[in-house]
Amino acid sequence: MTDLFSPLTLGGVTFRNRIGVSPMCQYCAGEDGLPTDWHLAHLVSRAVCGPGMVMTEAAAISPEGRISAHDLGIWSEAHVGPHARLAAAIAHAGSVPAIQLAHAGRKASRLPAWDSGPAVPGWEALAPSPLAFGHYAVPRAMTEAEVAQVIADMVAAARRAVRAGYRLIEVHAAHGYLLHQFLSPLSNRRKDSWGGDFEGRTRLLREAVAAVRAALPAGVALGVRISHTDWVEGGWTTEESVELSRRLRALGVDVVDVSSGGLDPAQRIPLGPGYQVPGAAAVRAGAGLPVMAVGLITEPAQAQAILAEGKADMVLLARAFLRDPYWVLNAAVALGRTEALSVPPQYERGWGSLGKMSIARPVGAPMPALPG
Ligand SMILES: Cc1cc2nc3c(=O)[nH]c(=O)nc-3n(C[C@H](O)[C@H](O)[C@H](O)COP(=O)(O)O)c2cc1C
């Protein structure tokens, strides 16, 4: 029976347990996309509570691929140093530092979520086809050269991420952003070899993943986040996700992170506890590769059951970690697993009385060597 607190190895990277912090946009980078002190505080304050992995929010591979002007980026050499500070601090707290690489496509050029205003003037959004997302501006269809540039930008961003010290690189192909826009027949009406049938619509993601894999050294894991379904009649389906994941596995992807939706405002999502877990289980069973499950996983027993029932290899939580940065420690206590606790020595007086503790690497201990 797979245990929430048992280690997991993916692509040569070992996670201390099977709980991860899901990527969450903070919309507080500078206009240059550089991480700020907020990113450091936000990510590290989750890492010290013991998750196996902490993933950054979507980091844009090019300036025009940002959702908003305040998205995190990784499109230039100037980004490597500040990202290295984030990755080192997460690793120092004992979590695997992970980064999500993204291009927003037709969902680019927005004001930050909490402003919910119109598009940023003068910023043209790109997409497979000139089809708007809901009330957003109509994007411009990408030329073939622009499609090929996305692959080059993704590879360059992945190389920078490795140099910064991230150990898991996740390609964002979910939630209606550019790569998902290519996958879905609702947003991709191209007549060239980047559209049309399943082969054509999946070509950009497959080629991007193959190129990124070839650029990664041993000891860095590769993941892909997908929306397993659009939740819209005539859209991308779970069956296609299973077939795509088979292909991704053959291309050297170590894990598929299974989310859903975000492509079309007409979606009808059956929201409820663990509502995306059946999609994760279908991909895991059908494609035979490790998966992460995400979406309204909030309770320790629920998370444990998902793993024990073989529906996923790891669980990711987002909003639960905003409510409780110490979710992992509280889950260990709730499940009577305090021997599995991992806390920094600075916090031992807060948590040490609860039972036997495994203490994370002491402050000042040497960092493990970084690949690349
Ligand atoms: C504030 C916030 C920002 C998010 N930003 C991202 C993101 O950058 N990339 C992504 O793939 N998902 C993003 N998500 C989705 C989460 O990663 C997660 O898939 C979703 O919230 C469902 O998990 P939950 O029910 O545990 O919150 C975001 C969610 C929240 C709440």
Side-chain angles (χ1 to χ4, degrees):
M1 185 180 97
T2 305
D3 174 45
L4 195 56
F5 296 103
S6 64
L8 170 70
T9 300
L10 297 171
V13 180
T14 299
F15 303 77
R16 60 183 162 185
N17 58 48
R18 291 156 182 267
I19 305 159
V21 177
S22 199
M24 281 183 275
C25 285
Q26 300 294 295
Y27 301 115
C28 63
E31 296 222 357
D32 48 15
L34 294 175
T36 63
D37 286 352
W38 175 265
H39 294 99
L40 185 71
H42 165 67
L43 295 170
V44 175
S45 59
R46 264 116 281 256
V48 294
C49 83
M53 178 193 77
V54 174
M55 192 178 297
T56 70
E57 69 200 72
I61 60 168
S62 58
E64 69 277 10
R66 291 171 293 170
I67 303 166
S68 83
H70 295 288
D71 285 22
L72 193 59
I74 186 152
W75 64 78
S76 83
E77 288 308 295
H79 292 92
V80 177
H83 271 289
R85 185 165 172 245
L86 298 185
I90 293 167
H92 190 265
S95 295
V96 169
I99 186 168
Q100 187 183 55
L101 303 181
H103 188 302
R106 70 180 184 176
K107 287 175 117 178
S109 152
R110 311 302 303 168
L111 289 169
W114 43 77
D115 290 345
S116 67
V120 178
W123 177 352
E124 183 181 49
L126 301 176
S129 304
L131 297 166
F133 172 75
H135 66 279
Y136 286 22
V138 177
R140 179 169 66 74
M142 297 167 80
T143 64
E144 291 211 46
E146 285 169 334
V147 177
Q149 187 61 43
V150 170
I151 299 174
D153 289 344
M154 190 66 80
V155 170
R159 287 190 203 278
R160 288 184 203 108
V162 171
R163 281 178 24 239
Y166 292 108
R167 297 302 188 88
L168 184 144
I169 312 292
E170 180 175 274
V171 173
H172 195 356
H175 302 169
Y177 295 113
L178 185 73
L179 294 171
H180 184 184
Q181 290 159 29
F182 271 84
L183 295 177
S184 176
L186 298 175
S187 45
N188 184 346
R189 303 273 169 80
R190 294 179 75 97
K191 302 279 179 252
D192 62 11
S193 61
W194 302 100
D197 61 7
F198 177 85
E199 292 297 319
R201 285 181 282 112
T202 60
R203 181 179 167 202
L204 176 56
L205 177 58
R206 289 185 290 107
E207 292 200 5
V209 157
V212 168
R213 178 80 273 175
L216 298 183
V220 176
L222 177 59
V224 175
R225 174 168 270 198
I226 59 170
S227 283
H228 77 86
T229 170
D230 288 341
W231 301 114
V232 178
E233 189 71 32
W236 177 256
T237 66
T238 306
E239 292 70 35
E240 287 178 299
S241 289
V242 171
E243 179 55 27
L244 171 67
S245 300
R246 276 193 207 112
R247 309 288 191 93
L248 296 179
R249 178 187 171 198
L251 293 171
V253 167
D254 299 300
V255 63
V256 174
D257 172 4
V258 184
S259 188
S260 74
L263 186 99
D264 191 320
Q267 65 189 12
R268 290 288 168 265
I269 304 182
L271 276 179
Y275 66 102
Q276 295 172 151
V277 174
V283 169
R284 188 173 194 262
L289 87 175
V291 300
M292 294 166 171
V294 66
L296 288 179
I297 299 169
T298 57
E299 303 307 316
Q302 176 198 16
Q304 174 60 63
I306 290 166
L307 298 176
E309 291 163 13
K311 293 177 176 162
D313 299 273
M314 192 163 184
V315 291
L316 303 189
L317 286 67
R319 289 163 292 184
F321 272 117
L322 296 183
R323 291 190 289 274
D324 177 11
Y326 300 108
W327 192 92
V328 178
L329 299 180
N330 284 319
V333 172
L335 295 173
R337 297 294 310 282
T338 50
E339 90 289 352
L341 288 178
S342 176
V343 295
Q346 296 93 327
Y347 288 7
E348 196 197 345
R349 289 171 76 172
W351 292 92
S353 59
L354 290 165
K356 190 168 158 290
M357 321 260 301
S358 57
I359 302 296
R361 191 183 318 111
V363 172
M367 296 288 296
L370 300 175

